[in-house]
Amino acid sequence: MASAADRRIDRTPQELLPEGDRVAVRLQPAALSAKLAVPLLTGDAIERTALSQKVLAASSAPIVLLRAPAGFGKTTLMLELRHKLEAATIPSAWLTLDSADNDVGRFLYVVRAALTPLISGLSANGGDAAGPDDVALRLIDAIAAHRAPFTLFLDDFETVQGPAVLGLVRELISHLPAGARMVIGSRNVPELGLGRLRAHGKLVEIEPTQLRFTIDEATVYLRNRRRLDLSQDDVVRLHRSTEGWVAALWLASVSLENRQDPGQFIAGFNGADTAIVEYLLEDVFSRQSEKVRTFLLRTSIVADLTPSLCDRLCGATDSLDVLAKLEREHLFLIPIDGDGFRWRYHSMFAEFLRTQLKRRHPEQARQLNRVAANWYLEQDRPVVAIEHWLAAGDAGAALPLLAQHAEPLLNQGRVRLLARWLDPLRERGLLHDWPMLQIIHAWAVLLGRGPRAAALLLEQLDQEERRGRGFDAHRRALRLLYLVLLDRIDEARDLATSLVRDVPGRGSFVRGFAEVALANLTMIAGEYQEALKLADVVRSRGPDNASGMMLALSEAAEGAVDLTQGRLRKATAHLRLAVRAGTDDASGATNGNAMAGVLLAEALYEAHQLLQAERLLTVYIPLIRAVGVPDQLITAHTIMARIAWRRGDRDLAQQLLAELELSGHRETLGRVVASARLERARMLTVEGRIDLAKDEIARCADATLWDRIDRLSLRANEVETYKLGAARCAVHGAQPSSCIDSLHAELDAAERTQRARRALTMRLVLAQAYYRTSQPNKAMRLLSKAISFAAAEGYQAAFQDEGALLLEMLRELRLRPDLLGSGAAPSADTLQFLDIIVGEPGPPLPTDPKPWDPAIVAPAPGSSLLTRKELKLLTLVADGLSNSELAERLFVADTTVRTHLRNINAKLGTRSRVEAIAIARKSGLLR
């Protein structure tokens, strides 16, 4: 159990670093208020009327992007826009982002906190123990449901680079309601799908060329706002030299104050690049008193400035007075909370000061970092202290602190932070005498960057002399994870079994990891009851794992068994618990358990909760790509591609499958490559592009690979295998009868081994095979059984993914409810479920349904013979073509096809295409 001090290391906002896929924390109130505080406009700001009017006039564009390097006035223009929107009674929220917001949980927390005053239904707490998926769903749903206009300002957006957070922002953008806007200030072009937004007229862009001051604006700024006595020629020359760069003009104005000959100073400018800013900053800096210059340099090493810390760094007692003076003189100092006792330097100025400090006083910079480290230790903030010890180059002080806190940080999942610290220490050979730090470094790299990046580390650990049982146990557990990531399942299970046998200790990290790994590997072997027993053992030891990681993984293992055996509702409940298991506060903290998240997305997709599944995968796909767990890679990309495909976005679906295939090639994971091709073949098959589908299936026909997959219960290939893909292709092609026997065998095997979800799809494909071979009774009996099972658990995607032919069969089945069930009338719930699947209501259930027998049904009296076109249509119907395929073959509209089918039923006295085909054959109209 982690101590209170250990848990506290993940609680301080200044310690939040750009993890991207790991633990987030609730911010302290002062830090949160600083992020939400609207900056103050300086007294010398000028109004950018043309730019603000351009934005306000494009009211139909929900996204405004102000993109330019530092010092171009992005924030000032955002403040002007906010003022005008507020004047128009449009409320707004302001959020200044920083690198710590790359953490999904923290980003959701601060966005929710910013919007809570504007949007009803939001809460800054977001619910106890809510996982990131729940928080994201609630946030997006609340925003989408909000009907009043509002604007969210996101400043310093360039600090957000994590793929998961960028994906969430894209989701927020796609669900902004009418009247809502997002104004983004960024130094770079964010990866937010701007091309699509631009193409659909949903984006207003303000670029550097537009943000530069015109000569007129420069004149107003320099003469009226800065009150400089300059001739128009001087203004023109200065504008030409700076090219209207706002920061350069401002810095030049500071330099020009109290100069006797401004023309001579202006004549010295010869360019408008970063060199001029460096020059101007140097000029401003050099004009300060020695005391202020010393203060600026010595305090530049810390991210936030408090009087007590500054006193320590400067060996003084009047830092509060100096800070207040700097703020009064507008010397690059920005307050970061509301009580006036914490500030930060403008980022551009801070970079300049740190560069000057290292250039002028390199040893002093190291000493100052030591002083800061000790101060942070006194404040019980060890993570920031470690940062400063490392910045000081003092490994001797950093390593004992790292040894004390690295394992709790590993338990919390902060693997990128650990890797960033330990990578350079290892390269310098400084970890040799710290065996457990070597181990933790290997864990961090393996969990954060995958097996390829960790291979050399593991090899070196294997060459180490024996360092004791604990070191050896960790080394073997690392090898176990390495084998799992490389899809070497059999070797992994043997190693997990031996680890569980050899490693004692209820609270051991290695023992817990080995047990949960063995539970999952036992499930893959098809020993489901044994896997559930092992998961129960892990859960019984949950309190010993403060991070919740083992509890999450054990819940995920049970959820995976439930999915395999067809218990969709129970699986969803377990997987929601698994995703939330590591969450310990309302900030949405997550232990990074992507395994549970992807499985939950699969369960949601099966229940046709596409939006929730998509949002969840938006969070987790970027996390799993870095590590490359085969089953999670395949499942996540396949589901995301199917969602895109069902929405008609074929390009995005193919892009996702291409990314999956590339990941498989890059990590040499043959199953990943083959699964991408198999899913591509499935899509082509249901679209009727059989020749192309056959080509894709042929490309993944690796007998050795599929023999191994067939004897295991791998989650990503539990349903989709080479045999099923080939059979589905045959069913939709010219040889539907060729696969009936093999499908029967696969269905029998799935039922015998309790793989109910697999059996469901086998039954659906087999039903289509019977339908295509003119055996409608067998087809409908199979379909009826599938519907009965699926209705009880809520499975929908399995039917909809099979395409138009199966949906047409379901419509016919709905017209004959007497075929549903075993002799008894189907329940209202079953009929309602079938209506949901086919997307339209069927006829009411008759009070006394009579069984349908083609032998006693004759054409209606007075019916005429079918026309040539109707006969041709019926022939094609008998071949199993869907309505859209019939329309394409006959060169008519879908509505015309439906009219012909109604006419055929009227003439033959039938109620469905199945009855029509049977009567036509009995009457000799069809062979």
Side-chain angles (χ1 to χ4, degrees):
M1 179 74 75
S3 67
D6 289 335
R7 290 195 299 273
R8 203 159 49 239
I9 66 177
D10 213 27
R11 294 290 184 193
T12 317
Q14 290 77 11
E15 298 170 15
L16 287 168
L17 297 160
E19 295 284 84
D21 60 343
R22 298 298 164 189
V23 180
V25 305
R26 183 198 294 269
L27 279 75
Q28 291 177 346
L32 179 59
S33 65
K35 293 179 67 63
L36 305 183
V38 180
L40 296 176
L41 270 173
T42 60
D44 54 18
I46 69 169
E47 190 170 354
R48 311 297 303 277
T49 305
L51 293 178
S52 59
Q53 286 303 317
K54 176 182 177 180
V55 173
L56 297 174
S59 57
S60 61
I63 307 302
V64 179
L65 174 63
L66 285 66
R67 177 183 60 81
F72 270 76
K74 299 184 296 295
T75 302
T76 302
L77 179 56
M78 292 169 72
L79 290 170
E80 181 180 329
L81 286 169
R82 178 184 176 276
H83 175 73
K84 292 185 176 181
L85 289 168
E86 294 278 351
T89 67
I90 297 176
S92 64
W94 188 281
L95 179 58
T96 301
L97 297 168
D98 57 59
S99 58
D101 296 320
N102 282 284
D103 183 282
V104 172
R106 167 163 158 153
F107 177 79
L108 288 168
Y109 176 66
V110 295
V111 171
R112 192 173 63 240
L115 291 176
T116 293
L118 305 184
I119 298 177
S120 59
L122 279 182
S123 166
N125 292 331
D128 294 335
D133 61 314
D134 276 341
V135 177
L137 288 172
R138 293 174 192 173
L139 176 63
I140 293 170
D141 288 343
I143 290 173
H146 191 66
R147 291 294 172 257
F150 70 91
T151 302
L152 173 62
F153 289 88
L154 298 176
D155 201 8
D156 292 346
F157 196 85
E158 72 279 353
T159 60
V160 174
Q161 300 172 355
V165 173
L166 290 172
L168 282 173
V169 177
R170 287 194 292 269
E171 279 292 297
L172 289 172
I173 289 172
S174 66
H175 291 87
L176 285 176
R181 305 188 88 176
M182 188 182 293
V183 180
I184 297 171
S186 178
R187 295 187 187 184
N188 55 27
V189 180
E191 297 180 10
L192 296 177
L194 299 181
R196 290 190 177 194
L197 294 171
R198 191 181 296 115
H200 291 88
K202 295 183 177 181
L203 176 66
V204 176
E205 295 176 271
I206 306 295
E207 298 182 335
T209 54
Q210 298 166 282
L211 284 165
R212 295 180 188 275
F213 275 4
T214 65
I215 290 179
D216 290 342
E217 288 173 326
T219 301
V220 172
Y221 177 69
L222 294 169
R223 288 180 173 179
N224 299 350
R225 296 292 191 269
R226 299 297 295 158
R227 301 184 183 281
L228 296 174
D229 185 13
L230 300 178
S231 69
Q232 187 61 29
D233 286 344
D234 286 339
V235 172
V236 171
R237 284 200 301 271
L238 189 55
H239 180 269
R240 185 185 302 119
S241 296
T242 62
E243 296 185 7
W245 186 359
V246 181
L249 285 168
W250 172 53
L251 287 166
S253 73
V254 176
S255 297
L256 285 167
E257 288 178 337
N258 303 318
R259 286 188 182 269
Q260 297 300 317
D261 189 356
Q264 183 179 359
F265 175 83
I266 293 170
F269 286 161
N270 57 11
D273 55 16
T274 53
I276 198 170
V277 173
E278 183 80 5
Y279 167 74
L280 292 170
L281 283 169
E282 173 64 30
D283 184 73
V284 172
F285 176 75
S286 64
R287 296 175 64 194
Q288 305 304 313
S289 68
E290 180 64 28
K291 178 179 180 179
V292 170
R293 287 200 302 271
T294 300
F295 181 92
L296 293 172
L297 290 176
R298 294 180 72 89
T299 57
S300 65
I301 65 159
V302 294
D304 61 326
L305 306 166
T306 62
S308 61
L309 176 55
C310 292
D311 281 345
R312 184 74 63 86
L313 290 168
C314 297
T317 58
D318 62 347
S319 294
L320 179 58
D321 294 336
V322 178
L323 289 165
K325 178 178 182 294
L326 293 174
E327 184 178 16
R328 285 195 306 271
E329 295 178 357
H330 305 293
L331 199 64
F332 308 99
L333 201 63
I334 300 170
I336 56 175
D337 65 19
D339 58 15
F341 294 103
R342 292 180 63 229
W343 296 264
R344 67 175 175 87
Y345 290 122
H346 186 284
S347 58
M348 187 171 59
F349 193 46
E351 291 170 10
F352 164 78
L353 290 175
R354 285 191 289 269
T355 300
Q356 294 299 312
L357 179 65
K358 291 178 182 178
R359 182 184 301 165
R360 301 181 184 198
H361 311 290
E363 184 52 44
Q364 188 180 95
R366 288 188 284 271
Q367 179 57 32
L368 288 167
N369 274 294
R370 295 186 188 102
V371 172
N374 282 315
W375 186 87
Y376 281 115
L377 278 179
E378 292 171 11
Q379 306 300 311
D380 196 18
R381 293 167 61 183
V383 172
V384 188
I386 292 170
E387 284 283 349
H388 281 286
W389 284 125
L390 293 173
D394 196 338
L399 283 166
L401 202 57
L402 264 169
Q404 180 182 353
H405 294 287
E407 192 162 357
L409 288 167
L410 176 64
N411 287 338
Q412 294 164 16
R414 300 189 69 176
V415 294
R416 294 199 177 188
L417 172 65
L418 288 167
R420 181 168 62 81
W421 283 346
L422 295 170
D423 281 344
L425 293 174
R426 173 190 167 273
E427 291 171 5
R428 294 164 56 192
L430 298 176
L431 297 184
H432 183 267
D433 296 326
W434 300 87
M436 284 311 297
L437 286 181
Q438 294 178 44
I439 286 290
I440 288 171
H441 182 223
W443 276 113
V445 173
L446 186 56
L447 287 167
R449 302 203 291 262
R452 282 197 309 162
L456 179 61
L457 294 176
L458 298 184
E459 183 180 334
Q460 291 174 344
L461 286 175
D462 287 340
Q463 294 170 359
E464 285 277 337
E465 296 180 4
R466 190 175 182 86
R467 302 266 194 152
R469 293 182 63 185
F471 183 89
D472 185 60
H474 269 283
R475 184 163 54 185
R476 292 168 66 193
L478 282 163
R479 180 61 57 180
L480 168 59
L481 177 58
Y482 183 78
L483 292 172
V484 169
L485 294 176
L486 291 179
D487 219 20
R488 292 159 61 177
I489 302 301
D490 294 333
E491 297 171 74
R493 189 181 183 193
D494 291 342
L495 182 52
T497 302
S498 67
L499 269 171
V500 170
R501 181 184 63 241
D502 298 342
V503 177
R506 287 178 56 87
S508 164
F509 176 87
V510 170
R511 174 62 179 261
F513 175 78
E515 287 175 337
V516 79
L518 184 58
N520 281 282
L521 292 165
T522 302
M523 176 199 67
I524 289 172
E527 301 171 22
Y528 305 121
Q529 294 307 310
E530 182 63 24
L532 293 175
K533 290 179 183 177
L534 288 165
D536 282 340
V537 170
V538 177
R539 279 199 293 269
S540 70
R541 297 176 179 173
D544 293 327
N545 298 290
S547 70
M549 189 189 310
M550 303 311 168
L551 176 61
L553 290 171
S554 62
E555 289 287 352
E558 179 154 351
V561 172
D562 289 332
L563 284 175
T564 299
Q565 298 189 327
R567 296 183 291 271
L568 181 59
R569 301 186 193 279
K570 183 168 177 275
T572 303
H574 272 292
L575 293 168
R576 287 197 184 279
L577 285 175
V579 169
R580 297 175 183 173
T583 302
D584 60 0
D585 66 33
S587 69
T590 171
N591 58 23
N593 183 15
M595 175 182 176
V598 171
L599 286 171
L600 178 57
E602 181 183 359
L604 293 170
Y605 177 78
E606 292 279 16
H608 195 62
Q609 298 179 46
L610 303 187
L611 185 60
Q612 293 187 42
E614 183 180 25
R615 292 173 185 171
L616 197 62
L617 291 174
T618 298
V619 174
Y620 285 107
I621 280 182
L623 311 185
I624 63 173
R625 279 180 182 157
V627 182
V629 185
D631 282 290
Q632 276 62 58
L633 269 175
I634 297 168
T635 301
H637 284 80
T638 298
I639 291 173
M640 205 69 158
R642 289 187 181 188
I643 292 171
W645 182 79
R646 286 180 44 187
R647 287 180 178 159
D649 194 342
R650 303 298 199 257
D651 290 341
L652 178 57
Q654 293 305 320
Q655 177 186 330
L656 286 160
L657 294 179
E659 290 172 357
L660 176 62
E661 188 172 354
L662 180 61
S663 295
H665 285 302
R666 185 173 57 244
E667 304 296 337
T668 61
L669 295 169
R671 180 160 69 100
V672 174
V673 174
S675 296
R677 293 172 176 173
L678 194 65
E679 178 59 21
R680 196 178 291 121
R682 187 200 67 79
M683 290 180 177
L684 290 167
T685 298
V686 298
E687 289 175 348
R689 302 160 72 183
I690 303 302
D691 290 340
L692 292 175
K694 287 180 179 178
D695 291 342
E696 286 293 336
I697 289 173
R699 294 180 68 206
C700 58
D702 183 336
T704 303
L705 172 68
W706 290 108
D707 284 346
R708 182 176 75 89
I709 293 173
D710 287 343
R711 64 180 173 79
L712 297 172
S713 182
L714 294 158
R715 186 65 244 152
N717 299 105
E718 177 60 23
V719 174
E720 297 298 334
T721 64
Y722 172 79
K723 289 180 181 177
L724 177 62
R728 188 186 280 118
C729 194
V731 167
H732 287 262
Q735 298 175 310
S737 61
S738 64
C739 59
I740 288 179
D741 290 343
S742 63
L743 284 169
H744 259 302
E746 291 291 326
L747 174 58
D748 292 343
E751 291 183 322
R752 186 172 59 254
T753 54
Q754 299 180 307
R755 299 166 75 174
R757 175 60 186 86
R758 179 179 176 83
L760 173 60
T761 293
M762 291 295 171
R763 194 168 280 115
L764 298 180
V765 178
L766 183 57
Q768 293 174 84
Y770 278 127
Y771 189 83
R772 288 291 317 279
T773 55
S774 303
Q775 302 181 68
N777 287 347
K778 290 183 178 180
M780 292 303 165
R781 281 197 295 270
L782 281 166
L783 207 50
S784 174
K785 189 170 183 179
I787 284 290
S788 298
F789 165 77
E793 289 293 336
Y795 282 101
Q796 294 187 42
F799 297 86
Q800 292 153 339
D801 285 342
E802 291 299 325
L805 174 59
L806 184 68
L807 290 178
E808 194 62 36
M809 293 169 62
L810 290 168
R811 290 188 183 98
E812 295 184 13
L813 181 63
R814 181 62 181 92
L815 294 171
R816 292 305 314 270
D818 52 293
L819 297 178
L820 287 166
S822 303
S827 69
D829 289 342
T830 301
L831 289 176
Q832 184 181 15
F833 177 79
L834 185 51
D835 287 343
I836 292 171
I837 294 293
V838 301
E840 58 188 46
L845 181 65
T847 56
D848 183 20
K850 294 181 172 57
W852 172 61
D853 184 354
I856 61 173
V857 178
S863 64
S864 60
L865 293 175
L866 302 181
T867 66
R868 181 178 299 176
K869 184 170 288 188
E870 289 167 347
L871 189 58
K872 172 64 174 176
L873 181 85
L874 194 57
T875 303
L876 295 173
V877 169
D879 289 337
L881 272 65
S882 67
N883 281 4
S884 59
E885 290 169 327
L886 291 169
E888 183 178 353
R889 188 73 63 87
L890 297 173
F891 304 101
V892 297
D894 284 358
T895 54
T896 304
V897 169
R898 288 195 291 270
T899 299
H900 284 314
L901 289 172
R902 283 196 296 270
N903 291 339
I904 290 170
N905 282 325
K907 291 178 180 181
L908 298 181
T910 54
R911 291 173 293 180
S912 71
R913 60 171 62 195
V914 176
E915 293 183 23
I917 291 168
I919 289 296
R921 286 193 172 123
K922 184 175 179 62
S923 304
L925 298 174
L926 290 179
R927 294 182 179 180

